[in-house]
Coordinates of all heavy atoms in Angstrom, one line a residue:
P1277 N -7.5 0.6 -15.3 CA -6.3 -0.1 -14.8 C -5.6 0.9 -13.8 O -5.7 2.2 -13.9 CB -5.5 -0.2 -16.1 CG -5.8 0.9 -17.0 CD -7.3 1.2 -16.8
W1278 N -5.2 0.3 -12.8 CA -4.5 1.2 -11.7 C -3.0 1.4 -11.9 O -2.4 2.1 -11.1 CB -4.8 0.7 -10.3 CG -5.8 -0.3 -10.2 CD1 -7.2 -0.2 -10.4 CD2 -5.7 -1.8 -9.9 NE1 -7.9 -1.2 -10.3 CE2 -6.9 -2.3 -10.0 CE3 -4.6 -2.6 -9.7 CZ2 -7.3 -3.7 -9.7 CZ3 -4.8 -4.0 -9.3 CH2 -6.1 -4.5 -9.3
L1279 N -2.4 0.8 -12.9 CA -1.0 0.8 -13.1 C -0.8 1.8 -14.3 O -1.5 1.6 -15.4 CB -0.3 -0.5 -13.4 CG 1.1 -0.5 -13.9 CD1 2.0 -0.2 -12.6 CD2 1.4 -1.8 -14.5
I1280 N 0.1 2.8 -14.2 CA 0.2 3.7 -15.2 C 1.8 3.9 -15.4 O 2.6 3.8 -14.5 CB -0.4 5.2 -15.1 CG1 0.2 5.9 -13.8 CG2 -1.9 5.0 -15.0 CD1 -0.1 7.3 -13.7
P1281 N 2.3 4.2 -16.7 CA 3.7 4.7 -16.8 C 3.7 6.0 -16.3 O 2.9 6.9 -16.5 CB 3.9 4.5 -18.4 CG 2.5 4.7 -19.0 CD 1.6 4.2 -17.9
L1282 N 4.9 6.4 -15.9 CA 5.2 7.8 -15.2 C 6.6 8.1 -15.4 O 7.4 7.6 -14.8 CB 4.8 7.8 -13.8 CG 4.5 9.3 -13.2 CD1 3.4 10.0 -13.9 CD2 4.2 9.1 -11.7
G1283 N 6.8 8.9 -16.5 CA 8.3 9.1 -17.0 C 8.9 7.8 -17.4 O 8.3 7.1 -18.1
D1284 N 10.0 7.5 -16.8 CA 10.6 6.2 -17.1 C 10.4 5.1 -16.1 O 10.7 4.1 -16.2 CB 12.2 6.4 -17.2 CG 12.7 7.2 -18.2 OD1 12.1 7.2 -19.3 OD2 13.8 8.0 -18.1
G1285 N 9.4 5.4 -15.2 CA 9.2 4.4 -14.1 C 7.6 4.1 -14.3 O 6.9 4.3 -15.3
Q1286 N 7.0 3.4 -13.3 CA 5.7 3.0 -13.1 C 5.0 3.5 -11.7 O 5.7 3.6 -10.8 CB 5.4 1.6 -13.2 CG 5.9 0.8 -14.6 CD 5.8 -0.6 -14.4 OE1 6.4 -1.2 -13.6 NE2 5.0 -1.2 -15.5
A1287 N 3.7 3.7 -11.8 CA 3.0 4.0 -10.6 C 1.9 3.2 -10.4 O 1.0 3.0 -11.4 CB 2.6 5.4 -10.7
L1288 N 1.7 2.4 -9.3 CA 0.7 1.6 -9.0 C -0.3 2.0 -7.9 O 0.3 2.1 -6.8 CB 1.3 0.1 -8.7 CG 0.3 -1.0 -8.5 CD1 -0.6 -1.3 -9.6 CD2 1.0 -2.3 -7.9
N1289 N -1.5 2.2 -8.1 CA -2.5 2.5 -6.9 C -3.1 1.3 -6.4 O -3.7 0.5 -7.1 CB -3.5 3.5 -7.6 CG -4.6 3.9 -6.5 OD1 -4.8 3.4 -5.6 ND2 -4.9 5.2 -6.8
V1290 N -2.7 1.0 -5.1 CA -3.3 -0.2 -4.4 C -4.3 0.3 -3.3 O -4.6 -0.6 -2.4 CB -2.2 -1.1 -3.8 CG1 -1.3 -1.5 -4.9 CG2 -1.3 -0.2 -2.9
D1291 N -5.0 1.4 -3.5 CA -6.0 1.8 -2.5 C -7.2 0.7 -2.5 O -7.7 0.4 -3.5 CB -6.6 3.2 -2.9 CG -7.7 3.7 -2.1 OD1 -8.6 3.1 -1.7 OD2 -7.5 4.8 -1.6
G1292 N -7.4 0.3 -1.3 CA -8.6 -0.7 -1.0 C -8.3 -2.1 -1.8 O -9.2 -2.6 -2.0
R1293 N -7.1 -2.5 -2.0 CA -6.9 -3.9 -2.6 C -5.5 -4.4 -2.1 O -4.7 -3.6 -1.7 CB -6.9 -3.7 -4.1 CG -6.1 -2.7 -4.8 CD -6.2 -2.5 -6.2 NE -7.3 -1.9 -6.5 CZ -7.7 -0.6 -6.9 NH1 -6.6 0.2 -6.8 NH2 -8.7 -0.2 -7.0
V1294 N -5.4 -5.6 -2.3 CA -4.2 -6.4 -2.0 C -3.7 -7.0 -3.2 O -4.4 -7.7 -4.0 CB -4.5 -7.5 -1.0 CG1 -3.3 -8.3 -0.7 CG2 -5.1 -7.0 0.3
V1295 N -2.5 -6.5 -3.7 CA -2.0 -7.1 -4.9 C -0.7 -8.0 -4.6 O 0.2 -7.6 -3.9 CB -1.4 -5.9 -5.7 CG1 -0.7 -6.4 -7.1 CG2 -2.6 -5.0 -6.1
V1296 N -0.8 -9.2 -5.0 CA 0.3 -10.2 -4.8 C 1.1 -10.2 -6.0 O 0.6 -10.6 -7.1 CB -0.2 -11.6 -4.5 CG1 0.9 -12.5 -4.2 CG2 -1.1 -11.6 -3.2
V1297 N 2.4 -9.8 -6.1 CA 3.1 -9.7 -7.2 C 4.1 -10.9 -7.2 O 4.9 -11.1 -6.3 CB 4.1 -8.4 -7.1 CG1 4.9 -8.2 -8.4 CG2 3.2 -7.1 -7.0
L1298 N 4.0 -11.6 -8.5 CA 4.8 -12.8 -8.6 C 5.8 -12.6 -9.8 O 5.6 -11.7 -10.7 CB 3.8 -13.9 -8.9 CG 2.7 -14.2 -8.0 CD1 1.5 -15.2 -8.7 CD2 3.0 -14.7 -6.7
P1299 N 6.9 -13.4 -9.7 CA 7.8 -13.2 -10.9 C 7.2 -13.7 -12.1 O 6.5 -14.5 -12.3 CB 9.0 -14.2 -10.4 CG 8.7 -14.5 -9.0 CD 7.3 -14.3 -8.7
E1300 N 7.4 -12.8 -13.2 CA 7.0 -13.1 -14.6 C 7.8 -14.3 -15.1 O 9.0 -14.4 -14.9 CB 7.1 -11.9 -15.5 CG 6.7 -12.0 -16.9 CD 5.3 -12.2 -17.0 OE1 4.8 -13.4 -16.7 OE2 4.4 -11.4 -17.2

Side-chain angles (χ1 to χ4, degrees):
W1278 342 293
L1279 176 72
I1280 62 169
L1282 198 58
D1284 293 327
Q1286 295 177 306
L1288 178 67
N1289 187 324
V1290 294
D1291 180 303
R1293 54 185 68 100
V1294 177
V1295 179
V1296 180
V1297 183
L1298 309 173
E1300 181 66 279

